Amino acid sequence: MQAQDHTDPMDAYSRLFRLDGRKAVVVGAGSGIGRESALALAAHGATVVCADRDLTAATETASMGPGLSPRALDVLDGEAVTRAAEELGPVDVLVFTAATNVRKPLLDYTAEEFERVVALNLRASFDLVRAFGRGMAARGGGSIIGFSSIRAVAVEPGQGVYAATKAGLVQMLRTAAAELGPSGVRVNTVAPGIVDTPLTAQIRAVPEWSEAYASKSALGRWSRPDELAGAVVYLASDASSFVTGSQLFVDGGWTAIDGRYTPPS
Ligand SMILES: NC(=O)c1ccc[n+]([C@@H]2O[C@H](COP(=O)([O-])OP(=O)(O)OC[C@H]3O[C@@H](n4cnc5c(N)ncnc54)[C@H](O)[C@@H]3O)[C@@H](O)[C@H]2O)c1
């Protein structure tokens, strides 16, 4: 390893995932994957702003360890996003997890539901990347991490609009990687499989649906939200210094296998 600050490569490797002295903002930190991401980033030395529309939930996350502070932020309010980026000062890492899904066939979708899913999953992501990416580019560095989904590449009935927003997010962030790369800013997405959080409570509540999803992954189970935190720390840290424009699947093998049938041996 080429050590820049440390002469001993073993010492440098031992710090590869450390985030001491870095400032991170996690949008969606009040719940699920966002909460675990905030905790893991702080455990690796970052100071973390736990941003969420639900200030009570963000405050609960922030109370779980040192280096965490809460902030109310509704990313559907574009001006509030711009204001947050200005007020928070230099930010090294932006993670955003806030998203929503309305699971129903395309023919049953209302225009209002379409607008609601696109507004949070795509439009708010666009605003966040622009608001925080501008400062990162001006300072010459940063890491932006968005959350896509296995639905960006594999669909099922009822996922049309959500899937479209996740595929769209991947392409938007790839473009951001292309545009901000020359300024030293890396931009990546994490694609979870099926994770036990409030977002999937509707599925968990139906045993047949829940078990069908578990059996679709190579590991034969759902993931816990903390199993996504390692990917976030990796993409935030120097361990991924040459990784940008990528989509990191943390899906228990869901997208690798067909999963419907095991032929007799
Ligand atoms: N849970 C899964 O199985 C799964 C699977 C694939 C992808 N994902 C993706 O991972 C990400 C995180 O999902 P999760 O399961 O942790 O979700 P979650 O519903 O548990 O948490 C989302 C958080 O975002 C916050 N939020 C919602 N609207 C907001 C707004 N307008 N402004 C600010 N904050 C807002 C909520 O208050 C909540 O704290 C999402 O992008 C989701 O699409 C999740």
Side-chain angles (χ1 to χ4, degrees):
M1 167 178 221
Q2 194 172 2
Q4 282 163 355
D5 305 329
H6 314 283
T7 47
D8 178 2
M10 297 305 279
D11 184 39
Y13 276 132
S14 75
R15 294 164 187 270
L16 197 54
F17 292 85
R18 291 298 306 178
L19 296 166
D20 306 280
R22 313 243 178 120
K23 182 169 185 175
V25 175
V26 180
V27 178
S31 174
I33 297 166
R35 169 171 288 177
E36 299 304 327
S37 300
L39 298 181
L41 292 169
H44 283 77
T47 56
V48 182
V49 177
C50 302
D52 205 290
R53 182 180 56 181
D54 183 342
L55 180 60
T56 307
T59 303
E60 196 181 315
T61 302
S63 73
M64 293 173 146
L68 300 144
S69 61
R71 182 182 172 112
L73 177 63
D74 182 351
V75 291
L76 292 173
D77 179 347
E79 283 174 19
V81 171
T82 307
R83 227 172 19 251
E86 287 165 2
E87 288 171 10
L88 289 170
V91 168
D92 304 294
V93 178
L94 169 69
V95 181
F96 51 93
T97 67
T100 190
N101 195 359
V102 176
R103 297 179 183 89
K104 55 159 71 169
L106 290 169
L107 299 187
D108 297 338
Y109 241 77
T110 66
E112 183 277 322
E113 288 163 340
F114 178 91
E115 298 292 349
R116 182 149 46 88
V117 175
V118 170
L120 184 57
N121 298 11
L122 262 188
R123 174 59 202 243
S125 306
F126 170 75
D127 288 339
L128 281 164
V129 168
R130 282 156 47 90
F132 287 88
R134 203 177 297 284
M136 288 179 180
R139 290 186 298 277
S143 173
I144 296 174
I145 304 162
F147 268 80
S148 69
S149 166
I150 52 171
R151 298 301 173 208
V153 296
V155 301
E156 67 180 8
Q159 297 280 0
V161 179
Y162 180 80
T165 63
K166 292 303 183 177
L169 179 69
V170 170
Q171 291 300 72
M172 187 164 68
L173 294 197
R174 279 177 166 164
T175 310
E179 293 176 357
L180 301 180
S183 305
V185 181
R186 298 183 298 106
V187 188
N188 294 285
T189 49
V190 177
I194 192 79
V195 191
D196 191 4
T197 73
L199 190 68
T200 49
Q202 179 194 8
I203 301 167
R204 264 288 194 221
V206 182
E208 192 189 353
W209 196 358
S210 177
E211 283 153 27
Y213 274 20
S215 68
K216 270 285 289 174
S217 81
L219 297 177
R221 63 174 177 84
W222 285 51
S223 86
R224 303 182 310 272
D226 60 276
E227 292 182 293
L228 278 300
V232 171
V233 171
Y234 166 66
L235 291 173
S237 70
D238 293 344
S240 62
S241 56
F242 203 57
V243 179
T244 195
S246 77
Q247 180 171 206
L248 175 51
F249 286 90
V250 184
D251 66 354
W254 181 301
T255 50
I257 58 173
D258 181 278
R260 287 166 195 267
Y261 181 62
T262 303
S265 49

